[in-house]
Each structure stands twice: as structure tokens, then as C-alpha cells.
Amino acid sequence: MKSVRGKNRLLRFSDFALGLVLTFQSIAICLLIFETRIPFPDFVVTPSLEAARKKGVEISFESLKFSLKGMVFGKGVILRSENLKVPVLAKLDRLVVFVNPWSILKGKFVPNGIDIEGGNALFIEEGGKESIFSELNGKVFLTDNNVQGKLDGQFGEAQINLSADADLAKLLPKGKGSGKIPFFKSSAFPEKYAALVEKLSFAKNSLRNCPRAFVSAELKKIGRGHRVSVDAQAN
């Protein structure tokens, strides 16, 4: 009798376990089919934001969700320096990051693509609404150390078209020594930012009466380095 009861219990447990697995599979399939967006897990968000802070960049957002298709959806994303003397670096209306969905569930966040919509970059004054670049839209794809992408937007009255096919390891080599201060944490960063914005503001203002102006730039790998090609018109 005991052996029979034991077998019955084992069968009931097996049926329960199988039912549980099938339930989770059904839920996962529904989430995939209907592209259901669920809140981005804190155990992934917190380490990612902390990693950015160590570089001197603060990231905030109105909402952050992801789908099991491997897309992270961000709305109202703001990037700024931790130094309050520096205006906002960028504001993005919508940001989609493409990742391996299972890596997220493991607590890892490794993007392989980024889609930007409605971006503004390099704000002129703290608390101000005017930025150097506006209406930014583009896509960036990341594979190992390689980055490919296109970005369109406005620079004053001029339309800008930027494209890149670069090797990040060669383009941005890691500094030697463990004591190197991250660029955004440097004490000279506020001064460098102000100088850059001043020069770009002058160029932007000079294009106010040039509705057909455009700037096109391409960064491309060649041999052991990179080549930058620029085409511009202002009339």
C-alpha cells in the first residue's frame, strides 16, 4: 500500500510540475506574441545606473520597460553630468535598446543596438530649453568592438547627417594606469563643455538664415585607423 501511495504522490507531483512548466511557457509565448512590455527589473537597472555614475554620468527616465523580444523601451530619458555646473547633456523622447532577453533575466545588460527618437543634445544653459543639436533620430548597432550607425537631426537651420563604421578599441583606446579620472569626472570638464558649446553656438547662429544648409559627416575604418569625411553647404 505504501509503495502505491508513494507512486501516486510522485505522479501527482509530476503532473503539478508539468502543469507549472506549461503555464510559464504559455505566459512567455503570450508575452512574445503580443509584445507585452513589463517593468525593467531593478536588479538590472541599479547596477547599470551605478556603472554610469562611476563614469560621471547621471541617467534618469520617466519609464523603462522591456519585452521578451529583447527590447528595452525608455521614455523621457535624460543624461547629465554629475557636475551641476554643466547643463544637461542630452534628452531623448524615446529610446529603444536591443539586448539578449535572457541576459537581462540573468542580471546582465549588454546592448547590441540602440534606436533614438526625438533627441536633443548639448544644452546651452542649465534649466534652458535650447540645445545645440535637436530633432535627433538614428540607429546604432554594436558588435564586439565595432559600432555602426546613422544619426539625423538639426543644427540650427542646417540638417545634419552623420554615419559611422568604427572600431571602438582603436578609436577610444583605454588609458593606461588604474588612477585615470573618467572624462566626465574631470575637474576641467565644465570648462571644456562651456568652450565647446560657445563655439558650436556661434556656428549655429551663423546658419539662422540658411534654410538649405546641411552638414554630412562619415567616420569609417581604413587600415589601422579611421577616416573622417565631411561635406557641408551653407546658402
Side-chain angles (χ1 to χ4, degrees), residues 13 24 43 53 56 84 99 101 109-110 118 127 133 137 157 163 178 184 189 191 195 200 207:
F13 178 77
F24 279 115
F43 66 87
R53 289 191 190 100
L84 298 180
V99 298
F109 184 70
V110 182
F133 301 104
N137 299 284
E157 295 293 328
S163 62
S178 58
F184 293 104
F189 176 65
E191 184 179 345
L200 291 175
L207 296 172

Side-chain angles (χ1 to χ4, degrees), residues 13-140:
F13 178 77
S14 298
D15 290 341
F16 171 76
L18 180 59
L20 192 62
V21 171
L22 291 175
T23 299
F24 279 115
Q25 285 183 338
S26 299
I27 293 174
I29 290 172
C30 288
L31 291 174
L32 285 169
I33 292 176
F34 296 106
E35 294 189 15
T36 304
R37 301 178 185 182
I38 57 180
F40 203 60
D42 289 338
F43 66 87
V44 181
V45 175
T46 302
S48 300
L49 296 181
E50 185 58 32
R53 289 191 190 100
K54 289 181 179 179
K55 299 292 185 181
V57 178
E58 297 280 349
I59 303 175
S60 61
F61 43 82
E62 292 178 7
S63 67
L64 196 64
K65 298 182 179 181
F66 85 104
S67 74
L68 291 182
K69 283 192 173 183
M71 293 182 287
V72 179
F73 302 88
K75 287 186 178 181
V77 182
I78 299 177
L79 286 79
R80 64 177 307 140
S81 166
E82 64 177 13
N83 192 316
L84 298 180
K85 295 180 181 180
V86 179
V88 171
L89 300 175
K91 290 184 179 181
L92 309 174
D93 291 340
R94 178 176 175 269
L95 175 70
V96 180
V97 183
F98 301 91
V99 298
N100 183 321
W102 307 118
S103 67
I104 290 180
L105 298 178
K106 292 179 181 179
K108 297 180 180 179
F109 184 70
V110 182
N112 51 44
I114 300 173
D115 192 345
I116 297 171
E117 287 187 11
N120 292 274
L122 301 184
F123 282 77
I124 298 174
E125 296 180 354
E126 177 56 36
K129 297 183 178 180
E130 185 179 1
S131 60
I132 297 297
F133 301 104
S134 60
E135 300 179 31
L136 296 173
N137 299 284
K139 296 179 182 292
V140 177

